Amino acid sequence: EPEVTQTPSHQVTQMGQEVILRCVPISNHLYFYWYRQILGQKVEFLVSFYNNEISEKSEIFDDQFSVERPDGSNFTLKIRSTKLEDSAMYFCASSEARGAGEKLFFGSGTQLSVL
Amino acid sequence: AQTVTQSQPEMSVQEAETVTLSCTYDTSESNYYLFWYKQPPSRQMILVIRQEAYKQQNATENRFSVNFQKAAKSFSLKISDSQLGDTAMYFCAFMVNYQLIWGAGTKLIIKP
């Protein structure tokens, strides 16, 4: 079965540094998402992306965050100036269509540690 | 506020037993979808089962079934004939405004 691939699996960075988390969605999927899970807390929605535009974003997704589809296969999440509270597991997901019951396919996540 | 509550942080059962994971939620939406996702040690979130709120019939997928009580806003997951490979975190979630709202998860351990 096709999979969503995320790299790296672990990322350690210093506070204030920029990080880019990378995702390769399933090839025929058109909708892309980022979710995150801070240790001990619930999974939270960050952003959805379609046709090179943000479709929805949460309050968490402030100006420090940006997403991009730089080519036909990658989908990236950039954090411009990391803070300690950005430490979390970041999950990328993709779906074939956009619907209330649409099945999202998730990657295995990138564990981001900000020191 | 739209919330999902999973009241069982951890459960363990013997292989081949049946186990039920609880989930309650709160939303003002009239139509929505509910999901159970499984997260094994590989960390990948895998969809187990989904239920459309306006369908009264409970969804089933092989050994997995749900007990959906819309009035009570309850959406429990039953796993029959549990297998060692079912050991994982299980998350209940519902989708509103194309965003998944998640519960805190239940860690399920299947013992041999």
Side-chain angles (χ1 to χ4, degrees), chain A residues 35 42 89 98 100-101 106, chain B residues 4 43-44 50 95 98 100:
Chain A
Y35 284 79
K42 295 181 179 181
M89 179 74 80
R98 180 174 182 258
F106 284 84
Chain B
V4 178
R43 306 188 311 183
Q44 185 181 24
R50 60 183 161 179
M95 187 171 283
Y98 307 104
L100 283 169

Side-chain angles (χ1 to χ4, degrees), chain A residues 54-70:
Chain A
I54 290 174
S55 303
E56 289 93 18
K57 62 180 182 178
S58 70
E59 293 177 352
I60 303 167
F61 195 87
D62 60 22
D63 292 343
Q64 291 298 311
F65 291 89
S66 62
V67 289
E68 190 179 32
R69 187 150 164 85

Side-chain angles (χ1 to χ4, degrees), chain B residues 57-81:
Chain B
Q57 186 174 5
N58 289 323
T60 62
E61 288 284 345
N62 301 311
R63 296 183 294 107
F64 299 87
S65 61
V66 298
N67 183 4
F68 174 48
Q69 303 288 331
K70 189 172 184 179
K73 294 183 178 173
S74 170
F75 182 59
S76 61
L77 174 70
K78 185 170 86 170
I79 306 173
S80 303
D81 186 26

Side-chain angles (χ1 to χ4, degrees), chain B residues 2-42:
Chain B
Q2 318 217 66
T3 59
V4 178
T5 302
Q6 294 180 250
S7 58
Q8 305 146 314
E10 184 169 324
M11 299 183 71
S12 66
V13 296
Q14 294 294 136
E15 191 178 7
E17 288 184 349
T18 294
V19 60
T20 299
L21 309 184
S22 302
C23 173
T24 57
Y25 61 93
D26 189 20
T27 181
S28 56
E29 300 291 324
S30 57
N31 193 27
Y32 44 87
Y33 279 77
L34 295 153
F35 305 83
W36 279 97
Y37 276 88
K38 166 184 176 180
Q39 186 184 37
S42 66

Side-chain angles (χ1 to χ4, degrees), chain A residues 26-92:
Chain A
I26 293 172
S27 60
N28 65 330
H29 285 186
L30 301 176
Y31 296 85
F32 316 114
Y33 314 83
W34 284 100
Y35 284 79
R36 79 172 185 188
Q37 185 179 29
I38 296 171
L39 185 64
Q41 299 185 21
K42 295 181 179 181
V43 178
E44 301 170 294
F45 169 79
L46 292 179
V47 66
S48 62
F49 189 86
Y50 168 71
N51 199 26
N52 285 320
E53 289 185 348
I54 290 174
S55 303
E56 289 93 18
K57 62 180 182 178
S58 70
E59 293 177 352
I60 303 167
F61 195 87
D62 60 22
D63 292 343
Q64 291 298 311
F65 291 89
S66 62
V67 289
E68 190 179 32
R69 187 150 164 85
D71 53 45
S73 59
N74 290 283
F75 178 52
T76 61
L77 174 69
K78 182 193 291 186
I79 309 175
R80 289 190 181 79
S81 178
T82 51
K83 305 173 206 168
L84 295 176
E85 54 264 37
D86 294 328
S87 294
M89 179 74 80
Y90 288 81
F91 291 100
C92 173

